Amino acid sequence: MSLTTRSVQAGIASVHRMLEAGGHETLTELDGKIGDGDLGITLLKAFRKLDEVAPDLPQDLGQALAACAQAIASVSSSSFGTLLTTAVLSAAKELKGQQSVPWERLPALLQGAGAAMAKRGRGNLGDKTVLDPIDAAASAALGLSDAPDILAVMRHATQQTIDRFRDRPNRLGRARIFGDRTIGLDDPGMVAFKLMLDGVSG
Amino acid sequence: MSLTTRSVQAGIASVHRMLEAGGHETLTELDGKIGDGDLGITLLKAFRKLDEVAPDLPQDLGQALAACAQAIASVSSSSFGTLLTTAVLSAAKELKGQQSVPWERLPALLQGAGAAMAKRGRGNLGDKTVLDPIDAAASAALGLSDAPDILAVMRHATQQTIDRFRDRPNRLGRARIFGDRTIGLDDPGMVAFKLMLDGVSG
Amino acid sequence: MKKILNDPFAYADETLEGMTLAFPRHYAFAAESRRVIVRPSGAIRGKVGIVTGGGSGHLPVFAGYVGAGLLDACAVGDVFASPSADEMAIAMRAANGGRGVLRLYGNYGGDVMNFDLAGEIVEMDNIESTTVLLADDVASAPRAEREKRRGVAGMVYAFKIAGASAARGDDLAAVTRLAQKTADSVLSMAVALSPCTVPQAGKPTFEIGEIEMEIGMGIHGEPGVTRGPLAPADSIADSLLDPILAEQGPGKGSRVSILLNSLGATPAEELFILYRRLASRLAEAGVTIVRPLVGRYATSMEMSGVSLSVLRLDDELEPLLAAPADCAFWTVA
Amino acid sequence: MKKILNDPFAYADETLEGMTLAFPRHYAFAAESRRVIVRPSGAIRGKVGIVTGGGSGHLPVFAGYVGAGLLDACAVGDVFASPSADEMAIAMRAANGGRGVLRLYGNYGGDVMNFDLAGEIVEMDNIESTTVLLADDVASAPRAEREKRRGVAGMVYAFKIAGASAARGDDLAAVTRLAQKTADSVLSMAVALSPCTVPQAGKPTFEIGEIEMEIGMGIHGEPGVTRGPLAPADSIADSLLDPILAEQGPGKGSRVSILLNSLGATPAEELFILYRRLASRLAEAGVTIVRPLVGRYATSMEMSGVSLSVLRLDDELEPLLAAPADCAFWTVA
Ligand SMILES: Nc1ncnc2c1ncn2[C@@H]1O[C@H](COP(=O)(O)OP(=O)(O)O)[C@@H](O)[C@H]1O
Ligand SMILES: Nc1ncnc2c1ncn2[C@@H]1O[C@H](COP(=O)(O)OP(=O)(O)O)[C@@H](O)[C@H]1O
Ligand SMILES: [Mg+2]
Ligand SMILES: [Mg+2]
Ligand SMILES: [Mg+2]
Ligand SMILES: [Mg+2]
């Protein structure tokens, strides 16, 4: 089994289903507490658009992911949307010209995406953003080759990261300004990443 | 007994006392329903100022009343204040050079004042304004020569006018715009005239 | 609604003080009264003077429109209250450059009485004066009783056109005629969504439900024509435009200017949303919009709502509308 | 607070449509996007282009400042939301007159990321570009973390000064340096009294008691420094001025411009009441106020509150502030 445009299409469908089934409301509520409350809608719009373009994605993984990045950019411009565009673009560049890659490359791809996002958002690990679980998940899954294993390890690392950061204050993005009031609250972007992993996993 | 500057001073003192004792609140409330609610304050400011200038009024009734008119004008510019200025000015012109006039001239003076007010405010009898009780009171008292009689007849005619107009709509000033919603309500300016008569009477 | 103030009774005074401090090139107090705003340069010799007056709480109306190509002096009352006849007389004297003075103001009882009284006072000084009353609010009386209508935002057009006429050297009769022509050519209609608070009263001028609006309500909260549920913007635009068109009927090929005015809190964004609809309605009717004004030109402090004024133009009025003008709130360059 | 709109999701689009219809001499859509406002004349050959971008709901910020002596193009997002990188790239191309483009906008996470992305996109088109971020809100981070501060009303000064620099023919490096100098010379502080409603959200951005105010609150309702009972105007003026003076310390004899800005609902009257106090405080400190701006220059729809921005001037900045400029919301003649 390897990662192909079909896997991308399947992943889009699952996450989209999860969001429509109510996942977006969780995010809206979280972002409403320490942000502008648009994170659920941002993701919903992104995945609705992805679902639209999914059937026509080319076999070339690079081209497919570039099309996905453009789809996300066209409907969303809030921070998470732009970071997601950045992440997908970074993977698109890596996979240019390939129609199929082994699953074991996934953790490294995610690591690269995280680095691109950090650069784009001028963020650092430890700021309590989506960057933290991405880094943790990618590191934990390095070396694994089986898709279900990879996902399981990533989900576990992500949940651990969310738990670990809960009692720290946000230090980046809109939430930063809420300072100590963010202590005790989960970062919406981290939870969004977790929900996407859950969605892909089934 | 005749009308002198002393009578003017006494009248000012009584009306001022009546207003300070709460009379102005009645007017504020009435004007609040079908106007801008300033009538009580307008009168209070006018009579506070009159009370200030009263001790220094000259013996010449014309000059005394002209000073009163100017005092009112200097503190108040709402309709009733301007009409009151106009009324007092009209009497001042009539009484120029006289230190004492018989009480029986009062009804005619009031009639003249009413005419000046009608001209100033472009109003007509029947519009449900202060003009109506002024006209009724002056007409009813024509020919009487005793101050208490004159006041008693004027108060009666004023109350009758208020009662007679209660169920008609206001047709002039700020209240006009409230149209049929003024039916059933007493015109604030009429009531102000009534309160002033009551005040003067004791 | 909350207000930023020190002493509610000093609201008007402190407003004027701030205006003169912020814009000393535009506004000065008359020597005789801190309730009269004049041009810092003083009366202009050989120019017809134009004065206005009215209550505070409507900025830029009234005092804000003192300026080049606009007004010469303004008497200012307390919030929503007439200035005194004394102050109006001071304003008239300050505006007098020897060619007479036009009194140009809105049709409100107290203002009219006091300006009449002021006119009598300055006649003794041998100042020739005329009066033009703005009575543009269609909601405030039927056409048959036009002379009873209130003056609202349409007065801004009269200030501009009379101001331009005086600035180019017209005599008192001509300035007066053009001001009257403008007054006769402009109609306005407003909708209110929420009230404002008169500082001295301390409570809102009216009450209205969370999802209600009142069409035709006056700028001091005087009752309007209909109260109903808050309608979509396009339907509000129609409610403002329809009664004006019905009465004024600018035909195909005619030219108008329109003033779409926020009463205070309503943001520019929402004015533009309304403007779309007005533009398309007038285009449909074959009417050309010239020099539209969209913004806050005549307000009621923090009241939420809008007014629409439509001015019918002709070859005489249009160039005067386009002439240069300059006050701290509005520059036509 | 009630809003006048049709479809909450079309609020930004209909606003822009109305703007272009009302002021076609000032504003046009870019050919490629109805979320990008450009000058109707197109890019000016041989002039450095200046673009900005940001969310809707702040008029005249951002799109309103497209105009002569000001900006060349603006990408517009939904209410309080960043425009997309695509739209920003379109704005940059539209502003490009061959001498490079300055991106001049407020320091908000989404805007920064998208503008960076847009910069990478247009680099492929060989358009040279630079960035200056406004981060003038002293309440949003301590001095030590200046780069994290939000950009608020102070950006109006940067638009004006960079715009004048570009208009007189300065090259990209010079325009960028002057924009950065302005950004480094302006500090702002705000107080909020009541919230606004984002149309798509349908509820107020924050809650606040009937007699409360919040000092230092952000223009989207981000929490401020202190919340307390509504204070008298003079004390509010001090709360706005003190932290700015403390950090900026304009000495005796220095010259500043100040922008006293209504966030929307707060009326001009109350700005002038505050202005009195500011003028007397600065006079006391021996500081001269030059060309003050008092009005609605950067709003949050119908939010009630004010912001104060203080710009330190020198011989280089002052003439640029005085240079002519013209947009539908602001004319410097
Ligand atoms: N600069 C940044 N770098 C990394 N992650 C960020 C950054 N800014 C925001 N995020 C993440 O995005 C989430 C919020 O996304 P979103 O609601 O789209 O932002 P906004 O509406 O404030 O633009 C945050 O919870 C955080 O995890
Ligand atoms: N044009 C007028 N002619 C005669 N009386 C008037 C006129 N306008 C108002 N009034 C009287 O004045 C009263 C209101 O006075 P006031 O509150 O001072 O008016 P406002 O505040 O509307 O200027 C009315 O009840 C009416 O009796
Ligand atoms: Mg968000
Ligand atoms: Mg957002
Ligand atoms: Mg009254
Ligand atoms: Mg009154």
Side-chain angles (χ1 to χ4, degrees):
Chain A
M1 277 279 288
S2 56
L3 176 58
T4 62
T5 290
R6 278 202 71 126
S7 336
V8 172
Q9 288 163 326
I12 289 172
S14 328
V15 175
H16 182 213
R17 215 175 306 121
M18 176 278 298
L19 288 169
E20 296 280 6
H24 73 98
E25 282 159 23
T26 316
L27 298 177
T28 297
E29 208 189 301
L30 272 177
D31 192 36
K33 283 189 198 145
I34 55 170
D36 57 357
D38 63 354
L39 185 54
I41 297 292
T42 295
L43 271 187
L44 197 60
K45 284 201 295 192
F47 277 86
R48 279 184 182 161
K49 187 75 189 181
L50 285 171
D51 201 54
E52 248 179 76
V53 304
D56 303 324
L57 292 178
Q59 292 307 309
D60 180 310
L61 268 171
Q63 285 174 19
L65 289 175
C68 290
Q70 205 185 310
I72 302 168
S74 75
V75 292
S76 122
S77 51
S78 229
S79 305
F80 202 89
T82 308
L83 291 168
L84 195 59
T85 305
T86 305
V88 176
L89 259 185
S90 122
K93 283 180 198 161
E94 283 293 318
L95 300 182
K96 212 162 163 180
Q98 301 179 50
Q99 301 208 348
S100 157
V101 297
W103 278 104
E104 69 182 60
R105 283 195 57 192
L106 190 64
L109 284 169
L110 187 62
Q111 229 165 17
M117 291 164 82
K119 194 169 162 233
R120 169 74 60 236
R122 304 177 188 188
N124 294 303
L125 289 181
D127 285 347
K128 192 175 175 182
T129 68
V130 66
L131 298 180
D132 295 301
I134 286 179
D135 180 72
S139 309
L142 278 178
L144 296 177
S145 54
D146 187 38
D149 285 358
I150 292 175
L151 284 174
V153 165
M154 283 187 172
R155 289 168 73 185
H156 182 69
T158 297
Q159 188 56 53
Q160 275 190 321
T161 309
I162 292 176
D163 295 341
R164 195 155 50 87
F165 275 90
R166 186 166 300 125
D167 289 330
R168 302 207 215 158
N170 278 80
R171 293 214 304 248
L172 195 64
R174 229 177 264 274
R176 180 187 68 81
I177 207 86
F178 288 79
D180 286 352
R181 274 179 266 182
T182 61
I183 291 177
L185 295 174
D186 291 346
D187 174 66
M190 289 193 189
V191 175
F193 180 65
K194 175 74 175 20
L195 285 179
M196 288 193 284
L197 282 180
D198 292 352
V200 175
S201 308
Chain B
M1 277 279 288
S2 56
L3 176 57
T4 61
T5 291
R6 280 202 69 125
S7 334
V8 173
Q9 289 163 327
I12 288 172
S14 326
V15 175
H16 182 212
R17 216 176 306 122
M18 175 277 299
L19 288 170
E20 296 280 6
H24 74 98
E25 282 159 24
T26 315
L27 298 175
T28 297
E29 206 189 303
L30 272 176
D31 192 36
K33 284 188 197 145
I34 54 171
D36 57 358
D38 63 355
L39 185 55
I41 297 292
T42 295
L43 271 187
L44 197 59
K45 285 200 294 190
F47 277 86
R48 279 185 182 162
K49 186 77 188 180
L50 285 171
D51 202 54
E52 249 179 75
V53 304
D56 304 323
L57 291 177
Q59 294 306 310
D60 180 310
L61 268 171
Q63 285 174 18
L65 290 175
C68 289
Q70 207 186 309
I72 301 168
S74 75
V75 292
S76 122
S77 51
S78 230
S79 305
F80 201 90
T82 308
L83 291 167
L84 195 59
T85 305
T86 304
V88 176
L89 258 186
S90 123
K93 284 180 198 162
E94 283 294 316
L95 301 181
K96 212 161 166 180
Q98 301 179 49
Q99 301 209 347
S100 157
V101 297
W103 278 104
E104 69 181 62
R105 283 194 58 192
L106 189 63
L109 284 169
L110 187 62
Q111 229 165 17
M117 291 163 82
K119 195 168 160 233
R120 169 73 61 235
R122 304 178 189 187
N124 293 302
L125 289 180
D127 285 346
K128 192 175 174 180
T129 69
V130 67
L131 299 179
D132 295 302
I134 285 179
D135 180 72
S139 309
L142 278 178
L144 297 176
S145 55
D146 189 40
D149 286 359
I150 292 176
L151 283 174
V153 165
M154 282 188 173
R155 288 169 73 185
H156 183 68
T158 297
Q159 187 58 54
Q160 274 190 321
T161 309
I162 291 176
D163 294 342
R164 194 155 51 85
F165 275 91
R166 185 166 301 125
D167 289 330
R168 301 207 215 159
N170 278 78
R171 292 215 303 248
L172 194 65
R174 230 178 262 275
R176 179 187 68 80
I177 206 86
F178 288 78
D180 286 351
R181 273 178 266 182
T182 61
I183 292 178
L185 296 175
D186 292 346
D187 174 65
M190 289 194 189
V191 175
F193 180 65
K194 175 74 174 22
L195 285 180
M196 288 193 285
L197 282 180
D198 292 351
V200 174
S201 308
Chain C
M1 183 53 65
K2 296 174 218 171
K3 302 186 75 72
I4 297 179
L5 48 78
N6 293 301
D7 172 5
F9 289 85
Y11 192 86
D13 297 306
E14 294 192 356
T15 295
L16 295 176
E17 203 178 317
M19 267 178 74
T20 58
L21 286 168
F23 302 114
R25 284 189 318 118
H26 291 92
Y27 309 115
F29 287 123
E32 303 84 353
S33 168
R34 291 171 75 86
R35 281 302 185 92
V36 176
I37 294 292
V38 300
R39 297 211 208 168
S41 54
I44 298 164
R45 285 236 55 85
K47 188 184 91 68
V48 168
I50 307 179
V51 298
T52 195
S56 289
H58 300 300
L59 281 179
V61 162
F62 296 85
Y65 291 108
V66 168
L70 294 162
L71 309 173
D72 296 284
C74 174
V76 184
D78 273 326
V79 174
F80 297 179
S82 174
S84 72
D86 281 0
E87 289 151 353
M88 288 169 170
I90 293 170
M92 290 177 71
R93 286 189 208 101
N96 177 38
R99 288 189 73 201
V101 174
L102 166 64
R103 288 167 293 189
L104 184 56
Y105 60 98
N107 188 27
Y108 287 91
D111 296 318
V112 174
M113 289 186 231
N114 283 304
F115 255 124
D116 283 352
L117 193 52
E120 287 170 28
I121 294 171
V122 301
E123 261 168 38
M124 302 186 219
D125 303 355
N126 282 321
I127 299 178
E128 194 190 353
S129 72
T130 54
T131 294
V132 171
L133 286 181
L134 271 298
D136 51 318
D137 186 354
V138 291
S140 55
R143 172 97 188 152
E145 295 178 83
R146 269 200 93 175
E147 75 292 346
K148 291 196 175 167
R149 286 180 175 170
R150 309 175 283 234
V152 288
M155 78 177 70
V156 172
Y157 282 122
F159 294 165
K160 177 71 186 72
I161 285 171
S165 161
R168 74 179 175 195
D170 291 356
D171 66 14
L172 182 60
V175 175
T176 305
R177 183 182 64 77
L178 285 162
Q180 187 64 56
K181 184 174 177 182
T182 307
D184 293 340
S185 307
V186 66
L187 291 177
S188 301
M189 182 80 190
V191 60
L193 273 65
S194 66
C196 57
T197 296
V198 175
Q200 303 190 8
K203 61 175 175 54
T205 48
F206 58 90
E207 281 176 22
I208 187 162
E210 241 326 298
I211 51 161
E212 276 188 323
M213 64 178 192
E214 185 155 330
I215 304 269
M217 179 168 267
I219 54 174
H220 309 112
E222 302 92 335
V225 180
T226 51
R227 184 174 278 213
L230 184 58
D234 286 356
S235 132
I236 292 176
D238 291 345
S239 307
L240 298 177
L241 187 61
D242 288 339
I244 295 177
L245 290 191
E247 181 167 330
Q248 198 182 43
K252 238 191 166 61
S254 61
R255 295 166 74 80
V256 302
S257 184
I258 71 179
L259 162 54
L260 187 58
N261 174 55
S262 167
L263 298 181
T266 296
E269 283 78 5
E270 294 168 26
L271 297 179
F272 287 120
I273 291 175
L274 290 168
Y275 190 90
R276 281 172 57 255
R277 175 70 175 186
L278 296 171
S280 96
R281 286 285 313 277
L282 287 169
E284 233 167 62
V287 176
T288 303
I289 303 175
V290 178
R291 296 190 161 263
L293 303 175
V294 182
R296 287 157 173 118
Y297 287 84
T299 65
S300 290
M301 295 182 292
E302 71 279 8
M303 191 160 153
S304 157
V306 298
S307 71
L308 170 68
S309 305
V310 179
L311 171 69
R312 293 199 59 163
L313 292 170
D314 63 12
D315 294 346
E316 192 172 41
L317 298 186
E318 200 171 321
L320 291 165
L321 187 60
D326 183 39
C327 68
F329 296 85
W330 187 25
T331 305
V332 183
Chain D
M1 181 52 66
K2 296 174 219 171
K3 301 186 75 73
I4 298 179
L5 49 78
N6 294 300
D7 172 4
F9 289 86
Y11 192 87
D13 297 307
E14 294 192 358
T15 294
L16 295 176
E17 202 178 317
M19 266 177 76
T20 58
L21 286 168
F23 302 115
R25 283 188 319 116
H26 291 92
Y27 308 116
F29 287 123
E32 304 84 354
S33 167
R34 291 170 75 87
R35 282 303 185 90
V36 177
I37 294 292
V38 300
R39 298 210 208 169
S41 54
I44 298 163
R45 284 236 57 84
K47 188 184 91 65
V48 168
I50 307 179
V51 298
T52 195
S56 289
H58 301 300
L59 280 179
V61 162
F62 296 84
Y65 291 109
V66 168
L70 293 163
L71 309 173
D72 297 284
C74 175
V76 183
D78 273 326
V79 173
F80 296 179
S82 173
S84 71
D86 280 1
E87 288 150 354
M88 288 169 171
I90 292 170
M92 289 177 73
R93 285 190 209 102
N96 177 37
R99 289 189 74 200
V101 174
L102 166 63
R103 287 167 293 189
L104 184 55
Y105 61 98
N107 189 28
Y108 288 92
D111 295 319
V112 175
M113 288 187 233
N114 284 304
F115 255 124
D116 283 352
L117 193 52
E120 288 170 27
I121 294 171
V122 300
E123 261 168 38
M124 302 190 216
D125 303 356
N126 283 322
I127 299 178
E128 194 189 353
S129 70
T130 54
T131 294
V132 171
L133 287 180
L134 271 298
D136 52 318
D137 186 355
V138 291
S140 55
R143 173 97 188 151
E145 296 178 81
R146 270 200 92 175
E147 74 292 345
K148 291 195 174 168
R149 286 180 175 170
R150 308 175 285 233
V152 288
M155 78 178 68
V156 173
Y157 282 121
F159 294 165
K160 176 70 185 70
I161 285 171
S165 162
R168 75 181 175 193
D170 291 355
D171 65 13
L172 182 60
V175 175
T176 305
R177 183 182 63 77
L178 285 161
Q180 187 64 56
K181 183 174 177 181
T182 308
D184 293 340
S185 307
V186 65
L187 291 178
S188 301
M189 182 79 190
V191 59
L193 275 65
S194 66
C196 58
T197 296
V198 174
Q200 303 190 8
K203 62 178 174 55
T205 47
F206 58 91
E207 282 176 21
I208 188 163
E210 242 326 298
I211 51 160
E212 277 188 322
M213 64 177 193
E214 184 155 330
I215 304 268
M217 179 169 267
I219 54 175
H220 309 111
E222 302 91 336
V225 180
T226 51
R227 184 174 279 213
L230 184 58
D234 286 356
S235 131
I236 292 176
D238 291 345
S239 307
L240 298 177
L241 187 60
D242 288 338
I244 296 177
L245 290 192
E247 181 167 329
Q248 199 182 43
K252 238 192 166 63
S254 61
R255 295 167 74 79
V256 302
S257 183
I258 72 179
L259 162 55
L260 187 58
N261 175 56
S262 167
L263 297 181
T266 296
E269 283 78 6
E270 295 168 27
L271 296 180
F272 287 120
I273 291 175
L274 290 167
Y275 191 90
R276 281 171 59 256
R277 174 71 175 186
L278 296 171
S280 95
R281 286 284 313 277
L282 287 170
E284 233 167 64
V287 176
T288 304
I289 303 175
V290 178
R291 296 192 161 262
L293 303 174
V294 182
R296 287 157 172 118
Y297 287 83
T299 65
S300 291
M301 296 182 292
E302 70 278 9
M303 191 160 155
S304 158
V306 298
S307 70
L308 169 68
S309 306
V310 179
L311 171 69
R312 293 200 59 165
L313 292 169
D314 63 13
D315 293 348
E316 190 172 43
L317 298 185
E318 201 171 320
L320 292 164
L321 187 60
D326 183 40
C327 68
F329 297 85
W330 186 26
T331 305
V332 183

